[in-house]
Amino acid sequence: MINYDEAYANVLSHTLDFDQESVSLGHCNGRILAEDVLADRDFPPFDRATKDGIAISSKGLEKGVRTFKIEGVASAGMPQHTLHELHNCIEIMTGAVVPKNADTVVMYEHLNIKDGMATLLQDVKKAQDIHFKGSDVVLGTVLLPKNTIIGPAEIGILASVGKSEVRVKKTPKVCVVSTGNELIAVSETPLPHQIRRSNALSLCAALQKEKIEATSIHLKDEKATIKKELSQILKTYDVVLLSGGVSKGKFDFIPEVMDSLKVKKVFHRVAQKPGKPFWFGIQPTLKTIVFSFPGNPVSTFANYHVYFIPWLCRSLGIEISREEVVLDGSLEVHLPLTRFVQVKTENKKGVLWARPVRENGSGDLTSLVHSDGFICLRPREKAYEKGEVVPYIPT
Ligand SMILES: Nc1nc2c(c(=O)[nH]1)N[C@H]1C(S)=C(S)[C@@H](COP(=O)(O)OP(=O)(O)OC[C@H]3O[C@@H](n4cnc5c(N)ncnc54)[C@H](O)[C@@H]3O)O[C@H]1N2
Ligand code: MOO
């Protein structure tokens, strides 16, 4: 049995390199950018008025002009006007192009306008209230580097540089496979010895958060069926997430079937709780990665977040988030297991405290709704005390 750090390192050394695809701008939220996105023009692309008022030339000001004859009106969306006289002005609206020969804007509140003349009511600074061409960034600047996670702010930038189609990283094709004869469909009524299957639905929902629409399949604990189905699944998908059938039971066929399908075991069993019987491997010819999670709901859920999410981030070329919280309670961790403890976090005066939630073992899926993540407690003799900073894995 290997320890958590070894298991984690092994998982991360088997990442995949995903291809790229083009998706429409409206469908790229949450995806990973596969190209650098450059400014296709200066930002802003022209000298832009930032107030509604008048545009004047500072040369007129220098010559002592304080009352300006209104020559015309420039509104946003109009081509650039020209200011013809130093003692004239052009009324200008926010977002309009500052006229040629003008270099200063004065807002209406600082003016008295009467009979086609605008008089300054207070001192004016040259170049005020203009957002100058290229003052944010110049043409050719990298606005979004490759591997950026696309969110609402990024979509605004992509739109402004004309990307109606965006090159993004492909997400892996994932198949979620649950196993177990006791498991029935959600819509069925369980007999006393049966339970409704929930793990696959939880996993599919978690994958949706990563913009992955997984296929879900349930298999009975029959070796021949599992072998036949998995043989096809391995050929069709990049990643298989299994739940159940990996411990020591007489009907836990997954490790044996994997072996028969030439899926190379990277490791089986990790010194951790929950999720000790976790099996991880790769089919080298097909390059299919197999995460075979122990079936207890909390074990599946914890292993998905502890191992699969970092694996996905690394495969997609994005940073693995490493968070820390302050422990709000004391806990013992017996050797040699690393513990992933469900916690509920609370921000108290800018510090994120994590309080362990009440739970009843890895079969207790009801506890999962009371937590927002796991803290990772490596094994040590000394108990973990309130106030210690520990790694936190959000769920
Ligand atoms: N002799 C040993 N027995 C067990 C060991 C061990 O080391 N030696 N490890 C225990 C640990 S730890 C875990 S975790 C479980 C994992 O077992 P399996 O991966 O083989 O999972 P199953 O036996 O198929 O199921 C376990 C449990 O979870 C329920 N389950 C499974 N799939 C689902 C699902 N899709 N939705 C809801 N619930 C599910 C299943 O009904 C079982 O109750 O093994 C221990 N045993
Ligand atoms: O992997 Mo198990 O979760 O300790 O019941």
Side-chain angles (χ1 to χ4, degrees):
M1 187 156 63
I2 61 173
N3 68 31
Y4 157 61
D5 291 304
E6 292 166 314
Y8 187 83
N10 266 309
V11 167
L12 290 193
S13 66
H14 287 85
T15 50
L16 295 178
D17 204 2
F18 301 132
D19 222 351
Q20 307 176 357
E21 61 184 339
S22 281
V23 297
S24 66
L25 182 58
H27 290 95
C28 70
N29 195 14
R31 301 293 298 271
I32 313 299
L33 201 55
E35 57 176 351
D36 287 343
V37 172
L38 310 185
D40 64 332
R41 58 209 291 228
D42 288 342
F43 272 61
F46 50 81
D47 293 346
R48 184 182 77 89
T50 65
K51 296 278 162 50
D52 302 314
I54 58 168
I56 57 174
S57 164
S58 61
K59 288 192 189 124
L61 285 176
E62 283 159 19
K63 291 209 156 94
V65 184
R66 291 294 177 268
T67 298
F68 299 84
K69 183 177 172 217
I70 298 169
E71 221 181 79
V73 179
S75 64
M78 281 180 148
Q80 189 182 32
H81 283 59
T82 299
L83 180 66
H84 294 104
E85 304 288 343
L86 291 184
H87 46 266
N88 284 3
C89 68
I90 289 177
E91 280 190 83
I92 192 159
M93 306 304 132
T94 305
V97 184
V98 174
K100 205 169 160 201
N101 303 330
D103 61 3
T104 303
V105 168
V106 185
M107 64 181 187
Y108 282 129
E109 293 88 323
H110 296 167
L111 298 170
N112 181 22
I113 296 188
K114 204 171 169 224
D115 300 332
M117 303 295 283
T119 303
L120 305 182
L121 296 177
Q122 58 186 72
D123 283 348
V124 169
K125 271 210 319 238
K126 179 180 174 181
Q128 71 179 28
D129 293 334
I130 296 177
H131 186 191
F132 284 99
K133 179 176 191 287
S135 62
D136 299 345
V137 295
V138 293
L139 167 94
T141 305
V142 177
L143 297 176
L144 302 172
K146 180 179 167 178
N147 292 345
T148 295
I149 303 171
I150 300 170
E154 288 74 18
I155 285 175
I157 288 178
L158 291 164
S160 69
V161 300
K163 291 271 178 194
S164 52
E165 293 282 316
V166 185
R167 293 295 291 170
V168 296
K169 299 267 178 85
K170 270 190 176 167
T171 49
K173 282 180 77 181
V174 179
C175 187
V176 173
V177 183
S178 59
T179 61
N181 291 345
E182 75 282 27
L183 302 169
I184 58 161
V186 179
S187 54
E188 290 179 59
T189 305
L191 295 169
H193 56 280
Q194 295 177 321
I195 55 167
R196 295 191 182 93
R197 47 183 182 260
S198 58
N199 289 358
L201 284 145
S202 256
L203 285 177
C204 288
L207 289 162
Q208 275 173 351
K209 283 193 355 194
E210 310 305 323
K211 306 292 163 193
I212 296 172
E213 287 300 330
T215 303
S216 174
I217 290 173
H218 181 70
L219 301 175
K220 290 268 188 208
D221 289 324
E222 293 158 7
K223 207 191 297 180
T225 313
I226 294 177
K227 185 173 175 183
K228 182 167 161 273
E229 295 294 329
L230 278 179
S231 146
Q232 278 313 308
I233 288 167
L234 287 165
K235 287 181 197 147
T236 315
Y237 296 88
D238 302 313
V239 185
V240 187
L241 300 184
L242 285 121
S243 170
V246 280
S247 62
K248 303 267 188 202
K250 286 216 159 96
F251 306 95
D252 292 336
F253 297 126
I254 301 300
E256 188 188 331
V257 169
M258 288 300 167
D259 194 44
S260 71
L261 292 172
K262 303 208 165 18
V263 183
K264 187 178 138 256
K265 179 183 84 178
V266 177
F267 60 79
H268 185 197
R269 298 171 71 76
V270 183
Q272 62 181 18
K273 190 175 166 61
K276 192 166 65 169
F278 175 30
W279 191 103
F280 177 77
I282 179 166
Q283 215 300 351
T285 319
L286 302 166
K287 293 205 166 34
T288 308
I289 302 289
V290 179
F291 289 80
S292 195
F293 301 135
N296 273 320
V298 181
S299 311
T300 290
F301 200 71
N303 275 310
Y304 170 87
H305 290 93
V306 169
Y307 296 101
F308 176 77
I309 289 291
W311 176 90
L312 182 67
C313 290
R314 183 64 63 82
S315 297
L316 286 168
I318 59 173
E319 222 173 282
I320 298 168
S321 91
R322 290 181 208 284
E323 296 186 36
E324 286 182 329
V325 288
V326 181
L327 183 58
D328 196 358
S330 63
L331 285 163
E332 299 231 354
V333 179
H334 298 294
L335 299 166
L337 304 182
T338 293
R339 289 272 315 275
F340 298 106
V341 178
Q342 288 187 63
V343 291
K344 179 80 179 168
T345 58
E346 190 187 348
N347 193 323
K348 293 187 215 167
K349 294 186 178 155
V351 176
L352 202 59
W353 288 83
R355 188 177 41 78
V357 304
R358 206 186 67 81
E359 46 100 349
N360 194 22
S362 58
D364 174 17
L365 86 165
T366 66
S367 60
L368 288 171
V369 295
H370 302 299
S371 67
D372 54 28
F374 293 90
I375 51 170
C376 170
L377 303 179
R378 289 190 169 73
R380 72 180 200 198
E381 298 283 356
K382 204 169 142 284
Y384 282 82
E385 302 293 352
K386 180 172 176 160
E388 285 196 51
V389 176
V390 290
Y392 168 68
I393 299 146
T395 55

